[in-house]
PDB file of all heavy atoms in Angstrom:
ATOM      1  N   ALA A  12      69.677 149.545  38.097  1.00 43.00           N
ATOM      2  CA  ALA A  12      68.903 148.397  38.589  1.00 43.00           C
ATOM      3  C   ALA A  12      67.627 148.212  37.800  1.00 43.00           C
ATOM      4  O   ALA A  12      67.197 147.108  37.517  1.00 43.00           O
ATOM      5  CB  ALA A  12      68.593 148.588  40.072  1.00 43.00           C
ATOM      6  N   GLY A  13      66.988 149.323  37.427  1.00 43.00           N
ATOM      7  CA  GLY A  13      65.714 149.217  36.728  1.00 43.00           C
ATOM      8  C   GLY A  13      65.863 148.839  35.275  1.00 43.00           C
ATOM      9  O   GLY A  13      64.991 148.206  34.697  1.00 43.00           O
ATOM     10  N   ALA A  14      66.975 149.245  34.657  1.00 42.00           N
ATOM     11  CA  ALA A  14      67.115 149.016  33.227  1.00 42.00           C
ATOM     12  C   ALA A  14      67.756 147.685  32.904  1.00 42.00           C
ATOM     13  O   ALA A  14      67.546 147.132  31.843  1.00 42.00           O
ATOM     14  CB  ALA A  14      67.934 150.148  32.603  1.00 42.00           C
ATOM     15  N   LEU A  15      68.580 147.177  33.804  1.00 43.00           N
ATOM     16  CA  LEU A  15      69.251 145.913  33.522  1.00 43.00           C
ATOM     17  C   LEU A  15      68.296 144.742  33.706  1.00 43.00           C
ATOM     18  O   LEU A  15      67.625 144.653  34.726  1.00 43.00           O
ATOM     19  CB  LEU A  15      70.442 145.733  34.464  1.00 43.00           C
ATOM     20  CG  LEU A  15      71.666 146.593  34.171  1.00 43.00           C
ATOM     21  CD1 LEU A  15      72.675 146.415  35.301  1.00 43.00           C
ATOM     22  CD2 LEU A  15      72.294 146.258  32.843  1.00 43.00           C
ATOM     23  N   PRO A  16      68.202 143.859  32.753  1.00 45.00           N
ATOM     24  CA  PRO A  16      67.400 142.655  32.969  1.00 45.00           C
ATOM     25  C   PRO A  16      68.059 141.764  33.998  1.00 45.00           C
ATOM     26  O   PRO A  16      69.238 141.883  34.291  1.00 45.00           O
ATOM     27  CB  PRO A  16      67.401 141.991  31.580  1.00 45.00           C
ATOM     28  CG  PRO A  16      68.642 142.486  30.937  1.00 45.00           C
ATOM     29  CD  PRO A  16      68.862 143.878  31.454  1.00 45.00           C
ATOM     30  N   VAL A  17      67.273 140.860  34.540  1.00 43.00           N
ATOM     31  CA  VAL A  17      67.798 139.982  35.577  1.00 43.00           C
ATOM     32  C   VAL A  17      69.016 139.227  35.087  1.00 43.00           C
ATOM     33  O   VAL A  17      69.982 139.015  35.809  1.00 43.00           O
ATOM     34  CB  VAL A  17      66.701 138.994  36.011  1.00 43.00           C
ATOM     35  CG1 VAL A  17      67.203 138.063  37.090  1.00 43.00           C
ATOM     36  CG2 VAL A  17      65.490 139.760  36.514  1.00 43.00           C
ATOM     37  N   SER A  18      68.986 138.841  33.835  1.00 45.00           N
ATOM     38  CA  SER A  18      70.098 138.054  33.320  1.00 45.00           C
ATOM     39  C   SER A  18      71.397 138.823  33.325  1.00 45.00           C
ATOM     40  O   SER A  18      72.465 138.266  33.512  1.00 45.00           O
ATOM     41  CB  SER A  18      69.794 137.590  31.907  1.00 45.00           C
ATOM     42  OG  SER A  18      69.625 138.702  31.055  1.00 45.00           O
ATOM     43  N   ALA A  19      71.331 140.128  33.084  1.00 44.00           N
ATOM     44  CA  ALA A  19      72.550 140.906  33.048  1.00 44.00           C
ATOM     45  C   ALA A  19      73.176 141.019  34.420  1.00 44.00           C
ATOM     46  O   ALA A  19      74.344 141.298  34.562  1.00 44.00           O
ATOM     47  CB  ALA A  19      72.255 142.302  32.487  1.00 44.00           C
ATOM     48  N   ALA A  20      72.391 140.845  35.470  1.00 49.00           N
ATOM     49  CA  ALA A  20      72.928 140.929  36.821  1.00 49.00           C
ATOM     50  C   ALA A  20      73.479 139.586  37.277  1.00 49.00           C
ATOM     51  O   ALA A  20      73.920 139.443  38.405  1.00 49.00           O
ATOM     52  CB  ALA A  20      71.826 141.387  37.776  1.00 49.00           C
ATOM     53  N   GLY A  21      73.491 138.599  36.423  1.00 60.00           N
ATOM     54  CA  GLY A  21      74.030 137.297  36.796  1.00 60.00           C
ATOM     55  C   GLY A  21      72.967 136.320  37.246  1.00 60.00           C
ATOM     56  O   GLY A  21      73.282 135.220  37.666  1.00 60.00           O
ATOM     57  N   ASN A  22      71.702 136.689  37.153  1.00 86.00           N
ATOM     58  CA  ASN A  22      70.618 135.823  37.600  1.00 86.00           C
ATOM     59  C   ASN A  22      69.892 135.261  36.390  1.00 86.00           C
ATOM     60  O   ASN A  22      69.022 135.908  35.821  1.00 86.00           O
ATOM     61  CB  ASN A  22      69.629 136.596  38.487  1.00 86.00           C
ATOM     62  CG  ASN A  22      70.220 136.941  39.824  1.00 86.00           C
ATOM     63  OD1 ASN A  22      71.052 136.207  40.347  1.00 86.00           O
ATOM     64  ND2 ASN A  22      69.820 138.054  40.396  1.00 86.00           N
ATOM     65  N   TRP A  23      70.277 134.073  35.983  1.00 94.00           N
ATOM     66  CA  TRP A  23      69.557 133.430  34.892  1.00 94.00           C
ATOM     67  C   TRP A  23      69.629 131.924  35.085  1.00 94.00           C
ATOM     68  O   TRP A  23      70.408 131.412  35.881  1.00 94.00           O
ATOM     69  CB  TRP A  23      70.142 133.825  33.529  1.00 94.00           C
ATOM     70  CG  TRP A  23      71.410 133.136  33.168  1.00 94.00           C
ATOM     71  CD1 TRP A  23      71.568 131.927  32.545  1.00 94.00           C
ATOM     72  CD2 TRP A  23      72.739 133.600  33.409  1.00 94.00           C
ATOM     73  NE1 TRP A  23      72.886 131.614  32.383  1.00 94.00           N
ATOM     74  CE2 TRP A  23      73.640 132.631  32.901  1.00 94.00           C
ATOM     75  CE3 TRP A  23      73.252 134.752  34.005  1.00 94.00           C
ATOM     76  CZ2 TRP A  23      75.007 132.772  32.976  1.00 94.00           C
ATOM     77  CZ3 TRP A  23      74.630 134.893  34.074  1.00 94.00           C
ATOM     78  CH2 TRP A  23      75.489 133.910  33.563  1.00 94.00           C
ATOM     79  N   ALA A  24      68.790 131.241  34.350  1.00 96.00           N
ATOM     80  CA  ALA A  24      68.775 129.785  34.402  1.00 96.00           C
ATOM     81  C   ALA A  24      68.507 129.240  33.015  1.00 96.00           C
ATOM     82  O   ALA A  24      68.093 129.969  32.113  1.00 96.00           O
ATOM     83  CB  ALA A  24      67.713 129.299  35.382  1.00 96.00           C
ATOM     84  N   VAL A  25      68.765 127.965  32.861  1.00 96.00           N
ATOM     85  CA  VAL A  25      68.509 127.272  31.604  1.00 96.00           C
ATOM     86  C   VAL A  25      67.627 126.061  31.902  1.00 96.00           C
ATOM     87  O   VAL A  25      67.839 125.368  32.895  1.00 96.00           O
ATOM     88  CB  VAL A  25      69.825 126.809  30.946  1.00 96.00           C
ATOM     89  CG1 VAL A  25      69.550 125.927  29.732  1.00 96.00           C
ATOM     90  CG2 VAL A  25      70.675 128.014  30.544  1.00 96.00           C
ATOM     91  N   THR A  26      66.627 125.849  31.071  1.00 97.00           N
ATOM     92  CA  THR A  26      65.782 124.651  31.178  1.00 97.00           C
ATOM     93  C   THR A  26      66.261 123.608  30.175  1.00 97.00           C
ATOM     94  O   THR A  26      66.287 123.862  28.966  1.00 97.00           O
ATOM     95  CB  THR A  26      64.307 124.990  30.909  1.00 97.00           C
ATOM     96  OG1 THR A  26      63.819 125.855  31.945  1.00 97.00           O
ATOM     97  CG2 THR A  26      63.456 123.727  30.881  1.00 97.00           C
ATOM     98  N   TYR A  27      66.673 122.460  30.699  1.00 97.00           N
ATOM     99  CA  TYR A  27      67.070 121.325  29.859  1.00 97.00           C
ATOM    100  C   TYR A  27      65.941 120.294  29.883  1.00 97.00           C
ATOM    101  O   TYR A  27      65.396 119.994  30.946  1.00 97.00           O
ATOM    102  CB  TYR A  27      68.334 120.654  30.388  1.00 97.00           C
ATOM    103  CG  TYR A  27      69.577 121.504  30.371  1.00 97.00           C
ATOM    104  CD1 TYR A  27      69.943 122.262  31.475  1.00 97.00           C
ATOM    105  CD2 TYR A  27      70.421 121.526  29.258  1.00 97.00           C
ATOM    106  CE1 TYR A  27      71.101 123.026  31.476  1.00 97.00           C
ATOM    107  CE2 TYR A  27      71.575 122.279  29.249  1.00 97.00           C
ATOM    108  CZ  TYR A  27      71.910 123.028  30.357  1.00 97.00           C
ATOM    109  OH  TYR A  27      73.064 123.779  30.358  1.00 97.00           O
ATOM    110  N   LEU A  28      65.637 119.728  28.734  1.00 97.00           N
ATOM    111  CA  LEU A  28      64.607 118.698  28.658  1.00 97.00           C
ATOM    112  C   LEU A  28      65.237 117.311  28.671  1.00 97.00           C
ATOM    113  O   LEU A  28      66.270 117.076  28.037  1.00 97.00           O
ATOM    114  CB  LEU A  28      63.777 118.857  27.394  1.00 97.00           C
ATOM    115  CG  LEU A  28      63.002 120.170  27.225  1.00 97.00           C
ATOM    116  CD1 LEU A  28      62.281 120.166  25.888  1.00 97.00           C
ATOM    117  CD2 LEU A  28      62.027 120.386  28.367  1.00 97.00           C
ATOM    118  N   ASP A  29      64.601 116.400  29.383  1.00 97.00           N
ATOM    119  CA  ASP A  29      64.954 114.994  29.237  1.00 97.00           C
ATOM    120  C   ASP A  29      64.528 114.532  27.838  1.00 97.00           C
ATOM    121  O   ASP A  29      63.769 115.237  27.154  1.00 97.00           O
ATOM    122  CB  ASP A  29      64.248 114.166  30.315  1.00 97.00           C
ATOM    123  CG  ASP A  29      64.872 114.355  31.694  1.00 97.00           C
ATOM    124  OD1 ASP A  29      66.095 114.604  31.753  1.00 97.00           O
ATOM    125  OD2 ASP A  29      64.150 114.261  32.698  1.00 97.00           O
ATOM    126  N   PRO A  30      64.985 113.370  27.382  1.00 96.00           N
ATOM    127  CA  PRO A  30      64.591 112.897  26.050  1.00 96.00           C
ATOM    128  C   PRO A  30      63.078 112.934  25.855  1.00 96.00           C
ATOM    129  O   PRO A  30      62.311 112.491  26.704  1.00 96.00           O
ATOM    130  CB  PRO A  30      65.139 111.469  26.017  1.00 96.00           C
ATOM    131  CG  PRO A  30      66.341 111.527  26.907  1.00 96.00           C
ATOM    132  CD  PRO A  30      65.959 112.458  28.021  1.00 96.00           C
ATOM    133  N   MET A  31      62.678 113.506  24.734  1.00 95.00           N
ATOM    134  CA  MET A  31      61.275 113.714  24.422  1.00 95.00           C
ATOM    135  C   MET A  31      60.743 112.628  23.493  1.00 95.00           C
ATOM    136  O   MET A  31      61.529 111.949  22.808  1.00 95.00           O
ATOM    137  CB  MET A  31      61.095 115.070  23.718  1.00 95.00           C
ATOM    138  CG  MET A  31      61.485 116.281  24.541  1.00 95.00           C
ATOM    139  SD  MET A  31      60.262 116.683  25.798  1.00 95.00           S
ATOM    140  CE  MET A  31      61.138 116.091  27.250  1.00 95.00           C
ATOM    141  N   PRO A  32      59.428 112.475  23.422  1.00 95.00           N
ATOM    142  CA  PRO A  32      58.856 111.593  22.403  1.00 95.00           C
ATOM    143  C   PRO A  32      59.223 112.085  21.002  1.00 95.00           C
ATOM    144  O   PRO A  32      59.393 113.281  20.777  1.00 95.00           O
ATOM    145  CB  PRO A  32      57.346 111.708  22.647  1.00 95.00           C
ATOM    146  CG  PRO A  32      57.215 112.178  24.058  1.00 95.00           C
ATOM    147  CD  PRO A  32      58.404 113.045  24.325  1.00 95.00           C
ATOM    148  N   GLU A  33      59.367 111.159  20.078  1.00 94.00           N
ATOM    149  CA  GLU A  33      59.684 111.534  18.700  1.00 94.00           C
ATOM    150  C   GLU A  33      58.539 112.309  18.063  1.00 94.00           C
ATOM    151  O   GLU A  33      58.766 113.172  17.213  1.00 94.00           O
ATOM    152  CB  GLU A  33      59.976 110.277  17.867  1.00 94.00           C
ATOM    153  CG  GLU A  33      61.266 109.572  18.249  1.00 94.00           C
ATOM    154  CD  GLU A  33      62.492 110.367  17.825  1.00 94.00           C
ATOM    155  OE1 GLU A  33      62.340 111.283  16.978  1.00 94.00           O
ATOM    156  OE2 GLU A  33      63.586 110.078  18.330  1.00 94.00           O
ATOM    157  N   ARG A  34      57.309 112.007  18.491  1.00 97.00           N
ATOM    158  CA  ARG A  34      56.152 112.636  17.860  1.00 97.00           C
ATOM    159  C   ARG A  34      55.077 112.908  18.911  1.00 97.00           C
ATOM    160  O   ARG A  34      54.844 112.093  19.798  1.00 97.00           O
ATOM    161  CB  ARG A  34      55.604 111.725  16.757  1.00 97.00           C
ATOM    162  CG  ARG A  34      54.446 112.325  15.968  1.00 97.00           C
ATOM    163  CD  ARG A  34      54.047 111.417  14.798  1.00 97.00           C
ATOM    164  NE  ARG A  34      52.893 111.947  14.071  1.00 97.00           N
ATOM    165  CZ  ARG A  34      52.974 112.896  13.149  1.00 97.00           C
ATOM    166  NH1 ARG A  34      54.147 113.417  12.837  1.00 97.00           N
ATOM    167  NH2 ARG A  34      51.892 113.331  12.526  1.00 97.00           N
ATOM    168  N   PHE A  35      54.444 114.066  18.781  1.00 98.00           N
ATOM    169  CA  PHE A  35      53.356 114.461  19.666  1.00 98.00           C
ATOM    170  C   PHE A  35      52.047 114.471  18.872  1.00 98.00           C
ATOM    171  O   PHE A  35      51.974 115.068  17.795  1.00 98.00           O
ATOM    172  CB  PHE A  35      53.596 115.848  20.249  1.00 98.00           C
ATOM    173  CG  PHE A  35      54.717 115.894  21.253  1.00 98.00           C
ATOM    174  CD1 PHE A  35      56.042 115.937  20.836  1.00 98.00           C
ATOM    175  CD2 PHE A  35      54.448 115.912  22.614  1.00 98.00           C
ATOM    176  CE1 PHE A  35      57.075 115.997  21.755  1.00 98.00           C
ATOM    177  CE2 PHE A  35      55.482 115.960  23.542  1.00 98.00           C
ATOM    178  CZ  PHE A  35      56.802 116.007  23.108  1.00 98.00           C
ATOM    179  N   ALA A  36      51.015 113.818  19.418  1.00 98.00           N
ATOM    180  CA  ALA A  36      49.701 113.787  18.784  1.00 98.00           C
ATOM    181  C   ALA A  36      48.754 114.715  19.550  1.00 98.00           C
ATOM    182  O   ALA A  36      48.896 114.897  20.766  1.00 98.00           O
ATOM    183  CB  ALA A  36      49.145 112.363  18.777  1.00 98.00           C
TER     184      ALA A  36
END
């Protein structure tokens, strides 16, 4: 339990971005 990262136990997520600006100032 201590050595396994959360992801290895099946607990993970992904962040998806909506369409972004072409350029950031």
Side-chain angles (χ1 to χ4, degrees):
L15 286 173
V17 180
S18 61
N22 290 329
W23 77 87
V25 173
T26 294
Y27 296 92
L28 299 178
D29 286 329
M31 298 284 105
E33 291 289 344
R34 184 174 177 81
F35 290 80

